[in-house]
Amino acid sequence: LQRMRAQRAEVDELIRGFVARSELQETQEAEEKARGAMALGAFARLKGQLGLPLEGTVVGEWGRVKDAETGLYVFRKGIEIQSGEPIPVEVRSVAAGRVVFVGPLGDYGRAVVLDHGENHYTLTGRLGKTALVLGTFVRAGEVIGYSFPRKPLYFEIRAGRTPVNPLQWTKR
């Protein structure tokens, strides 16, 4: 019986090693693909073809808008997307990129900033949850976090330091 337990433990260890190697290989392949896309300047060619990071309705427009609370005009650098679901919804990367920031970011709350290459960045804020690690690569469509139930997600695209209208980059 003791010998069988030892053999079972050995088999379990072999399986864990295989799974770990498989996950590592998948991660390395995703990173290589993302780096390749970034090197080719693929993000700029995606203008007008990107999806939104969250299925839902745009409830906050980009640009000059009147603030409902203060009545003052402000320049909104991104858009707000409402899922309308009473539960957290998956938020996905709109394109391959590298995580250059993850964590709390002022009024954006919990946020993720992805570098898509050639000075193109996306900022996704007001996330309910994310488990990304700084420096990792994500593929287009990969889950980067989860929304807050019934709260709008913030989404911004930047070309260098300049915010650009995300709706001009998405297919709608």
Side-chain angles (χ1 to χ4, degrees), residues 30-75:
E31 182 176 327
E32 188 174 312
K33 188 173 181 180
R35 280 183 200 242
M38 289 169 64
L40 293 172
F43 190 82
R45 289 194 298 277
L46 294 174
K47 187 172 183 180
Q49 300 174 42
L50 298 175
L52 292 173
L54 172 77
E55 284 191 36
T57 305
V58 175
V59 296
E61 296 288 330
W62 180 87
R64 186 174 184 253
V65 295
K66 191 172 187 176
D67 184 272
E69 290 181 27
T70 65
L72 300 173
Y73 283 93
V74 296
F75 185 84

mmCIF file of all heavy atoms in Angstrom, residues 30-75:
data_model
loop_
_atom_site.group_PDB
_atom_site.id
_atom_site.type_symbol
_atom_site.label_atom_id
_atom_site.label_comp_id
_atom_site.label_asym_id
_atom_site.label_seq_id
_atom_site.Cartn_x
_atom_site.Cartn_y
_atom_site.Cartn_z
ATOM 1 N N ALA A 30 2.168 32.900 -26.796
ATOM 2 C CA ALA A 30 1.344 34.115 -26.787
ATOM 3 C C ALA A 30 2.226 35.357 -26.744
ATOM 4 O O ALA A 30 1.971 36.347 -27.445
ATOM 5 C CB ALA A 30 0.389 34.099 -25.595
ATOM 6 N N GLU A 31 3.273 35.317 -25.924
ATOM 7 C CA GLU A 31 4.190 36.448 -25.816
ATOM 8 C C GLU A 31 4.886 36.700 -27.144
ATOM 9 O O GLU A 31 5.002 37.837 -27.593
ATOM 10 C CB GLU A 31 5.215 36.175 -24.714
ATOM 11 C CG GLU A 31 6.174 37.308 -24.494
ATOM 12 C CD GLU A 31 7.115 37.060 -23.332
ATOM 13 O OE1 GLU A 31 6.708 36.414 -22.354
ATOM 14 O OE2 GLU A 31 8.262 37.521 -23.421
ATOM 15 N N GLU A 32 5.335 35.647 -27.793
ATOM 16 C CA GLU A 32 6.021 35.781 -29.079
ATOM 17 C C GLU A 32 5.082 36.372 -30.126
ATOM 18 O O GLU A 32 5.451 37.261 -30.893
ATOM 19 C CB GLU A 32 6.528 34.412 -29.539
ATOM 20 C CG GLU A 32 7.410 34.477 -30.758
ATOM 21 C CD GLU A 32 7.998 33.106 -31.087
ATOM 22 O OE1 GLU A 32 8.517 32.441 -30.171
ATOM 23 O OE2 GLU A 32 7.923 32.741 -32.264
ATOM 24 N N LYS A 33 3.838 35.909 -30.132
ATOM 25 C CA LYS A 33 2.857 36.414 -31.094
ATOM 26 C C LYS A 33 2.558 37.893 -30.829
ATOM 27 O O LYS A 33 2.487 38.694 -31.753
ATOM 28 C CB LYS A 33 1.575 35.586 -30.996
ATOM 29 C CG LYS A 33 0.576 35.884 -32.069
ATOM 30 C CD LYS A 33 -0.597 34.919 -32.009
ATOM 31 C CE LYS A 33 -1.586 35.210 -33.109
ATOM 32 N NZ LYS A 33 -2.721 34.296 -33.084
ATOM 33 N N ALA A 34 2.387 38.254 -29.549
ATOM 34 C CA ALA A 34 2.104 39.650 -29.200
ATOM 35 C C ALA A 34 3.282 40.546 -29.566
ATOM 36 O O ALA A 34 3.100 41.633 -30.113
ATOM 37 C CB ALA A 34 1.784 39.772 -27.712
ATOM 38 N N ARG A 35 4.498 40.094 -29.262
ATOM 39 C CA ARG A 35 5.689 40.882 -29.618
ATOM 40 C C ARG A 35 5.767 41.086 -31.131
ATOM 41 O O ARG A 35 6.103 42.166 -31.606
ATOM 42 C CB ARG A 35 6.955 40.185 -29.141
ATOM 43 C CG ARG A 35 7.242 40.372 -27.689
ATOM 44 C CD ARG A 35 8.564 39.683 -27.352
ATOM 45 N NE ARG A 35 8.647 39.422 -25.946
ATOM 46 C CZ ARG A 35 9.568 39.932 -25.160
ATOM 47 N NH1 ARG A 35 10.496 40.704 -25.647
ATOM 48 N NH2 ARG A 35 9.575 39.664 -23.876
ATOM 49 N N GLY A 36 5.478 40.036 -31.881
ATOM 50 C CA GLY A 36 5.510 40.130 -33.340
ATOM 51 C C GLY A 36 4.500 41.137 -33.862
ATOM 52 O O GLY A 36 4.815 41.958 -34.717
ATOM 53 N N ALA A 37 3.292 41.084 -33.322
ATOM 54 C CA ALA A 37 2.249 42.028 -33.741
ATOM 55 C C ALA A 37 2.647 43.456 -33.392
ATOM 56 O O ALA A 37 2.451 44.384 -34.181
ATOM 57 C CB ALA A 37 0.915 41.671 -33.087
ATOM 58 N N MET A 38 3.214 43.637 -32.194
ATOM 59 C CA MET A 38 3.635 44.972 -31.779
ATOM 60 C C MET A 38 4.764 45.488 -32.667
ATOM 61 O O MET A 38 4.787 46.647 -33.048
ATOM 62 C CB MET A 38 4.070 44.949 -30.313
ATOM 63 C CG MET A 38 2.904 44.761 -29.358
ATOM 64 S SD MET A 38 3.434 44.422 -27.665
ATOM 65 C CE MET A 38 4.274 45.934 -27.247
ATOM 66 N N ALA A 39 5.700 44.616 -33.027
ATOM 67 C CA ALA A 39 6.842 45.014 -33.850
ATOM 68 C C ALA A 39 6.404 45.425 -35.253
ATOM 69 O O ALA A 39 7.020 46.271 -35.886
ATOM 70 C CB ALA A 39 7.858 43.878 -33.924
ATOM 71 N N LEU A 40 5.347 44.833 -35.737
ATOM 72 C CA LEU A 40 4.856 45.136 -37.078
ATOM 73 C C LEU A 40 3.961 46.371 -37.106
ATOM 74 O O LEU A 40 3.477 46.764 -38.161
ATOM 75 C CB LEU A 40 4.072 43.938 -37.633
ATOM 76 C CG LEU A 40 4.884 42.686 -37.904
ATOM 77 C CD1 LEU A 40 3.974 41.527 -38.269
ATOM 78 C CD2 LEU A 40 5.894 42.940 -39.016
ATOM 79 N N GLY A 41 3.710 46.976 -35.942
ATOM 80 C CA GLY A 41 2.822 48.139 -35.903
ATOM 81 C C GLY A 41 1.397 47.753 -36.228
ATOM 82 O O GLY A 41 0.651 48.511 -36.832
ATOM 83 N N ALA A 42 1.024 46.568 -35.819
ATOM 84 C CA ALA A 42 -0.284 46.027 -36.165
ATOM 85 C C ALA A 42 -1.431 46.843 -35.574
ATOM 86 O O ALA A 42 -2.503 46.916 -36.168
ATOM 87 C CB ALA A 42 -0.378 44.574 -35.705
ATOM 88 N N PHE A 43 -1.227 47.466 -34.436
ATOM 89 C CA PHE A 43 -2.331 48.174 -33.780
ATOM 90 C C PHE A 43 -2.859 49.307 -34.669
ATOM 91 O O PHE A 43 -4.065 49.456 -34.833
ATOM 92 C CB PHE A 43 -1.900 48.720 -32.417
ATOM 93 C CG PHE A 43 -3.053 49.242 -31.604
ATOM 94 C CD1 PHE A 43 -3.854 48.380 -30.873
ATOM 95 C CD2 PHE A 43 -3.357 50.587 -31.580
ATOM 96 C CE1 PHE A 43 -4.926 48.842 -30.137
ATOM 97 C CE2 PHE A 43 -4.429 51.074 -30.845
ATOM 98 C CZ PHE A 43 -5.213 50.191 -30.118
ATOM 99 N N ALA A 44 -1.982 50.094 -35.239
ATOM 100 C CA ALA A 44 -2.412 51.218 -36.075
ATOM 101 C C ALA A 44 -3.250 50.746 -37.260
ATOM 102 O O ALA A 44 -4.182 51.439 -37.677
ATOM 103 C CB ALA A 44 -1.206 52.013 -36.554
ATOM 104 N N ARG A 45 -2.957 49.585 -37.772
ATOM 105 C CA ARG A 45 -3.711 49.045 -38.911
ATOM 106 C C ARG A 45 -5.081 48.520 -38.493
ATOM 107 O O ARG A 45 -5.902 48.200 -39.343
ATOM 108 C CB ARG A 45 -2.897 47.965 -39.606
ATOM 109 C CG ARG A 45 -1.700 48.536 -40.358
ATOM 110 C CD ARG A 45 -1.092 47.536 -41.323
ATOM 111 N NE ARG A 45 -0.564 46.345 -40.692
ATOM 112 C CZ ARG A 45 0.630 46.251 -40.133
ATOM 113 N NH1 ARG A 45 1.430 47.300 -40.114
ATOM 114 N NH2 ARG A 45 1.044 45.132 -39.587
ATOM 115 N N LEU A 46 -5.317 48.424 -37.197
ATOM 116 C CA LEU A 46 -6.603 47.922 -36.708
ATOM 117 C C LEU A 46 -7.647 49.025 -36.542
ATOM 118 O O LEU A 46 -8.771 48.752 -36.131
ATOM 119 C CB LEU A 46 -6.414 47.196 -35.369
ATOM 120 C CG LEU A 46 -5.605 45.907 -35.424
ATOM 121 C CD1 LEU A 46 -5.360 45.373 -34.016
ATOM 122 C CD2 LEU A 46 -6.314 44.870 -36.279
ATOM 123 N N LYS A 47 -7.277 50.265 -36.862
ATOM 124 C CA LYS A 47 -8.217 51.375 -36.695
ATOM 125 C C LYS A 47 -9.502 51.092 -37.459
ATOM 126 O O LYS A 47 -9.484 50.739 -38.633
ATOM 127 C CB LYS A 47 -7.602 52.686 -37.169
ATOM 128 C CG LYS A 47 -8.463 53.882 -36.851
ATOM 129 C CD LYS A 47 -7.764 55.183 -37.144
ATOM 130 C CE LYS A 47 -8.653 56.345 -36.735
ATOM 131 N NZ LYS A 47 -7.998 57.628 -36.998
ATOM 132 N N GLY A 48 -10.612 51.206 -36.748
ATOM 133 C CA GLY A 48 -11.931 50.935 -37.324
ATOM 134 C C GLY A 48 -12.340 49.479 -37.260
ATOM 135 O O GLY A 48 -13.438 49.126 -37.676
ATOM 136 N N GLN A 49 -11.473 48.617 -36.731
ATOM 137 C CA GLN A 49 -11.765 47.183 -36.710
ATOM 138 C C GLN A 49 -11.812 46.589 -35.306
ATOM 139 O O GLN A 49 -12.140 45.408 -35.141
ATOM 140 C CB GLN A 49 -10.705 46.438 -37.511
ATOM 141 C CG GLN A 49 -10.617 46.865 -38.963
ATOM 142 C CD GLN A 49 -9.455 46.199 -39.652
ATOM 143 O OE1 GLN A 49 -9.205 45.019 -39.460
ATOM 144 N NE2 GLN A 49 -8.721 46.951 -40.449
ATOM 145 N N LEU A 50 -11.448 47.367 -34.290
ATOM 146 C CA LEU A 50 -11.394 46.833 -32.925
ATOM 147 C C LEU A 50 -12.799 46.629 -32.360
ATOM 148 O O LEU A 50 -13.719 47.374 -32.690
ATOM 149 C CB LEU A 50 -10.633 47.790 -32.006
ATOM 150 C CG LEU A 50 -9.181 48.062 -32.337
ATOM 151 C CD1 LEU A 50 -8.630 49.128 -31.398
ATOM 152 C CD2 LEU A 50 -8.363 46.796 -32.248
ATOM 153 N N GLY A 51 -12.915 45.650 -31.495
ATOM 154 C CA GLY A 51 -14.145 45.497 -30.738
ATOM 155 C C GLY A 51 -14.038 46.293 -29.455
ATOM 156 O O GLY A 51 -12.971 46.791 -29.102
ATOM 157 N N LEU A 52 -15.134 46.437 -28.754
ATOM 158 C CA LEU A 52 -15.097 47.070 -27.437
ATOM 159 C C LEU A 52 -14.591 46.047 -26.428
ATOM 160 O O LEU A 52 -14.766 44.842 -26.630
ATOM 161 C CB LEU A 52 -16.493 47.560 -27.042
ATOM 162 C CG LEU A 52 -17.054 48.726 -27.848
ATOM 163 C CD1 LEU A 52 -18.500 48.994 -27.466
ATOM 164 C CD2 LEU A 52 -16.207 49.969 -27.667
ATOM 165 N N PRO A 53 -13.994 46.489 -25.331
ATOM 166 C CA PRO A 53 -13.482 45.540 -24.345
ATOM 167 C C PRO A 53 -14.579 44.842 -23.538
ATOM 168 O O PRO A 53 -14.315 43.873 -22.837
ATOM 169 C CB PRO A 53 -12.614 46.412 -23.431
ATOM 170 C CG PRO A 53 -13.165 47.779 -23.580
ATOM 171 C CD PRO A 53 -13.681 47.868 -24.988
ATOM 172 N N LEU A 54 -15.788 45.338 -23.670
ATOM 173 C CA LEU A 54 -16.924 44.827 -22.898
ATOM 174 C C LEU A 54 -18.156 44.899 -23.778
ATOM 175 O O LEU A 54 -18.393 45.924 -24.427
ATOM 176 C CB LEU A 54 -17.104 45.722 -21.659
ATOM 177 C CG LEU A 54 -18.325 45.526 -20.788
ATOM 178 C CD1 LEU A 54 -18.134 44.294 -19.914
ATOM 179 C CD2 LEU A 54 -18.539 46.749 -19.906
ATOM 180 N N GLU A 55 -18.940 43.830 -23.817
ATOM 181 C CA GLU A 55 -20.188 43.885 -24.567
ATOM 182 C C GLU A 55 -21.152 44.761 -23.803
ATOM 183 O O GLU A 55 -21.407 44.540 -22.623
ATOM 184 C CB GLU A 55 -20.768 42.485 -24.747
ATOM 185 C CG GLU A 55 -20.041 41.681 -25.793
ATOM 186 C CD GLU A 55 -20.778 40.408 -26.148
ATOM 187 O OE1 GLU A 55 -22.030 40.422 -26.174
ATOM 188 O OE2 GLU A 55 -20.096 39.419 -26.387
ATOM 189 N N GLY A 56 -21.662 45.779 -24.474
ATOM 190 C CA GLY A 56 -22.578 46.685 -23.805
ATOM 191 C C GLY A 56 -22.858 47.909 -24.641
ATOM 192 O O GLY A 56 -22.598 47.949 -25.838
ATOM 193 N N THR A 57 -23.357 48.932 -23.968
ATOM 194 C CA THR A 57 -23.766 50.174 -24.605
ATOM 195 C C THR A 57 -22.837 51.298 -24.169
ATOM 196 O O THR A 57 -22.511 51.416 -22.994
ATOM 197 C CB THR A 57 -25.207 50.522 -24.176
ATOM 198 O OG1 THR A 57 -26.053 49.422 -24.481
ATOM 199 C CG2 THR A 57 -25.713 51.765 -24.876
ATOM 200 N N VAL A 58 -22.442 52.130 -25.131
ATOM 201 C CA VAL A 58 -21.630 53.304 -24.801
ATOM 202 C C VAL A 58 -22.563 54.318 -24.142
ATOM 203 O O VAL A 58 -23.520 54.791 -24.755
ATOM 204 C CB VAL A 58 -20.951 53.905 -26.052
ATOM 205 C CG1 VAL A 58 -20.211 55.185 -25.708
ATOM 206 C CG2 VAL A 58 -19.999 52.881 -26.667
ATOM 207 N N VAL A 59 -22.273 54.621 -22.877
ATOM 208 C CA VAL A 59 -23.112 55.556 -22.114
ATOM 209 C C VAL A 59 -22.393 56.864 -21.818
ATOM 210 O O VAL A 59 -23.002 57.807 -21.315
ATOM 211 C CB VAL A 59 -23.624 54.919 -20.800
ATOM 212 C CG1 VAL A 59 -24.554 53.737 -21.089
ATOM 213 C CG2 VAL A 59 -22.482 54.492 -19.900
ATOM 214 N N GLY A 60 -21.120 56.930 -22.109
ATOM 215 C CA GLY A 60 -20.336 58.153 -21.917
ATOM 216 C C GLY A 60 -19.465 58.369 -23.129
ATOM 217 O O GLY A 60 -18.613 57.542 -23.442
ATOM 218 N N GLU A 61 -19.696 59.464 -23.838
ATOM 219 C CA GLU A 61 -18.984 59.737 -25.083
ATOM 220 C C GLU A 61 -17.618 60.364 -24.835
ATOM 221 O O GLU A 61 -17.371 60.964 -23.797
ATOM 222 C CB GLU A 61 -19.816 60.679 -25.965
ATOM 223 C CG GLU A 61 -21.141 60.076 -26.414
ATOM 224 C CD GLU A 61 -21.004 58.987 -27.447
ATOM 225 O OE1 GLU A 61 -20.038 59.021 -28.239
ATOM 226 O OE2 GLU A 61 -21.854 58.088 -27.476
ATOM 227 N N TRP A 62 -16.763 60.269 -25.844
ATOM 228 C CA TRP A 62 -15.429 60.874 -25.850
ATOM 229 C C TRP A 62 -15.581 62.343 -26.225
ATOM 230 O O TRP A 62 -16.476 62.721 -26.976
ATOM 231 C CB TRP A 62 -14.581 60.159 -26.885
ATOM 232 C CG TRP A 62 -13.177 60.650 -27.019
ATOM 233 C CD1 TRP A 62 -12.107 60.241 -26.288
ATOM 234 C CD2 TRP A 62 -12.672 61.622 -27.932
ATOM 235 N NE1 TRP A 62 -10.968 60.892 -26.689
ATOM 236 C CE2 TRP A 62 -11.300 61.754 -27.702
ATOM 237 C CE3 TRP A 62 -13.256 62.415 -28.915
ATOM 238 C CZ2 TRP A 62 -10.489 62.628 -28.420
ATOM 239 C CZ3 TRP A 62 -12.455 63.283 -29.635
ATOM 240 C CH2 TRP A 62 -11.091 63.373 -29.389
ATOM 241 N N GLY A 63 -14.683 63.180 -25.717
ATOM 242 C CA GLY A 63 -14.633 64.580 -26.138
ATOM 243 C C GLY A 63 -15.273 65.527 -25.146
ATOM 244 O O GLY A 63 -15.410 65.227 -23.963
ATOM 245 N N ARG A 64 -15.691 66.676 -25.638
ATOM 246 C CA ARG A 64 -16.259 67.730 -24.797
ATOM 247 C C ARG A 64 -17.690 67.354 -24.411
ATOM 248 O O ARG A 64 -18.555 67.200 -25.275
ATOM 249 C CB ARG A 64 -16.245 69.045 -25.561
ATOM 250 C CG ARG A 64 -16.673 70.222 -24.733
ATOM 251 C CD ARG A 64 -16.484 71.511 -25.543
ATOM 252 N NE ARG A 64 -16.798 72.657 -24.736
ATOM 253 C CZ ARG A 64 -17.907 73.394 -24.887
ATOM 254 N NH1 ARG A 64 -18.782 73.090 -25.832
ATOM 255 N NH2 ARG A 64 -18.115 74.431 -24.113
ATOM 256 N N VAL A 65 -17.896 67.217 -23.113
ATOM 257 C CA VAL A 65 -19.216 66.863 -22.597
ATOM 258 C C VAL A 65 -19.527 67.716 -21.363
ATOM 259 O O VAL A 65 -18.626 68.205 -20.686
ATOM 260 C CB VAL A 65 -19.312 65.361 -22.220
ATOM 261 C CG1 VAL A 65 -19.165 64.485 -23.444
ATOM 262 C CG2 VAL A 65 -18.289 64.993 -21.177
ATOM 263 N N LYS A 66 -20.800 67.875 -21.098
ATOM 264 C CA LYS A 66 -21.227 68.639 -19.928
ATOM 265 C C LYS A 66 -21.317 67.682 -18.741
ATOM 266 O O LYS A 66 -22.023 66.677 -18.791
ATOM 267 C CB LYS A 66 -22.578 69.298 -20.186
ATOM 268 C CG LYS A 66 -22.971 70.297 -19.140
ATOM 269 C CD LYS A 66 -24.222 71.042 -19.562
ATOM 270 C CE LYS A 66 -24.517 72.155 -18.600
ATOM 271 N NZ LYS A 66 -25.675 72.947 -19.059
ATOM 272 N N ASP A 67 -20.584 68.003 -17.682
ATOM 273 C CA ASP A 67 -20.591 67.194 -16.469
ATOM 274 C C ASP A 67 -21.938 67.337 -15.777
ATOM 275 O O ASP A 67 -22.379 68.448 -15.471
ATOM 276 C CB ASP A 67 -19.454 67.629 -15.545
ATOM 277 C CG ASP A 67 -19.360 66.744 -14.325
ATOM 278 O OD1 ASP A 67 -20.044 67.042 -13.324
ATOM 279 O OD2 ASP A 67 -18.611 65.751 -14.375
ATOM 280 N N ALA A 68 -22.605 66.217 -15.531
ATOM 281 C CA ALA A 68 -23.943 66.228 -14.936
ATOM 282 C C ALA A 68 -23.945 66.797 -13.522
ATOM 283 O O ALA A 68 -24.916 67.434 -13.111
ATOM 284 C CB ALA A 68 -24.514 64.815 -14.937
ATOM 285 N N GLU A 69 -22.891 66.576 -12.775
ATOM 286 C CA GLU A 69 -22.833 67.040 -11.381
ATOM 287 C C GLU A 69 -22.527 68.529 -11.264
ATOM 288 O O GLU A 69 -23.147 69.230 -10.474
ATOM 289 C CB GLU A 69 -21.788 66.235 -10.600
ATOM 290 C CG GLU A 69 -22.190 64.800 -10.361
ATOM 291 C CD GLU A 69 -21.140 64.038 -9.575
ATOM 292 O OE1 GLU A 69 -20.388 64.664 -8.809
ATOM 293 O OE2 GLU A 69 -21.087 62.806 -9.729
ATOM 294 N N THR A 70 -21.556 69.009 -12.046
ATOM 295 C CA THR A 70 -21.113 70.403 -11.898
ATOM 296 C C THR A 70 -21.730 71.347 -12.925
ATOM 297 O O THR A 70 -21.731 72.559 -12.722
ATOM 298 C CB THR A 70 -19.582 70.498 -12.033
ATOM 299 O OG1 THR A 70 -19.213 70.114 -13.365
ATOM 300 C CG2 THR A 70 -18.885 69.628 -11.009
ATOM 301 N N GLY A 71 -22.219 70.791 -14.030
ATOM 302 C CA GLY A 71 -22.754 71.629 -15.096
ATOM 303 C C GLY A 71 -21.665 72.256 -15.960
ATOM 304 O O GLY A 71 -21.954 73.008 -16.873
ATOM 305 N N LEU A 72 -20.405 71.941 -15.668
ATOM 306 C CA LEU A 72 -19.296 72.478 -16.437
ATOM 307 C C LEU A 72 -18.954 71.548 -17.601
ATOM 308 O O LEU A 72 -19.175 70.341 -17.531
ATOM 309 C CB LEU A 72 -18.067 72.629 -15.541
ATOM 310 C CG LEU A 72 -18.196 73.556 -14.337
ATOM 311 C CD1 LEU A 72 -16.961 73.461 -13.469
ATOM 312 C CD2 LEU A 72 -18.413 74.997 -14.807
ATOM 313 N N TYR A 73 -18.389 72.148 -18.650
ATOM 314 C CA TYR A 73 -17.925 71.335 -19.762
ATOM 315 C C TYR A 73 -16.543 70.789 -19.446
ATOM 316 O O TYR A 73 -15.684 71.509 -18.945
ATOM 317 C CB TYR A 73 -17.904 72.135 -21.065
ATOM 318 C CG TYR A 73 -19.287 72.304 -21.650
ATOM 319 C CD1 TYR A 73 -20.037 73.424 -21.361
ATOM 320 C CD2 TYR A 73 -19.831 71.316 -22.454
ATOM 321 C CE1 TYR A 73 -21.317 73.577 -21.872
ATOM 322 C CE2 TYR A 73 -21.113 71.450 -22.976
ATOM 323 C CZ TYR A 73 -21.853 72.578 -22.679
ATOM 324 O OH TYR A 73 -23.111 72.710 -23.187
ATOM 325 N N VAL A 74 -16.357 69.506 -19.725
ATOM 326 C CA VAL A 74 -15.076 68.846 -19.496
ATOM 327 C C VAL A 74 -14.711 68.080 -20.757
ATOM 328 O O VAL A 74 -15.565 67.813 -21.604
ATOM 329 C CB VAL A 74 -15.124 67.881 -18.281
ATOM 330 C CG1 VAL A 74 -15.374 68.636 -16.999
ATOM 331 C CG2 VAL A 74 -16.158 66.797 -18.483
ATOM 332 N N PHE A 75 -13.445 67.735 -20.867
ATOM 333 C CA PHE A 75 -13.006 66.917 -21.997
ATOM 334 C C PHE A 75 -12.797 65.503 -21.494
ATOM 335 O O PHE A 75 -11.908 65.247 -20.693
ATOM 336 C CB PHE A 75 -11.708 67.450 -22.615
ATOM 337 C CG PHE A 75 -11.310 66.694 -23.849
ATOM 338 C CD1 PHE A 75 -11.853 67.019 -25.067
ATOM 339 C CD2 PHE A 75 -10.411 65.643 -23.784
ATOM 340 C CE1 PHE A 75 -11.503 66.319 -26.212
ATOM 341 C CE2 PHE A 75 -10.053 64.934 -24.923
ATOM 342 C CZ PHE A 75 -10.607 65.286 -26.135
#
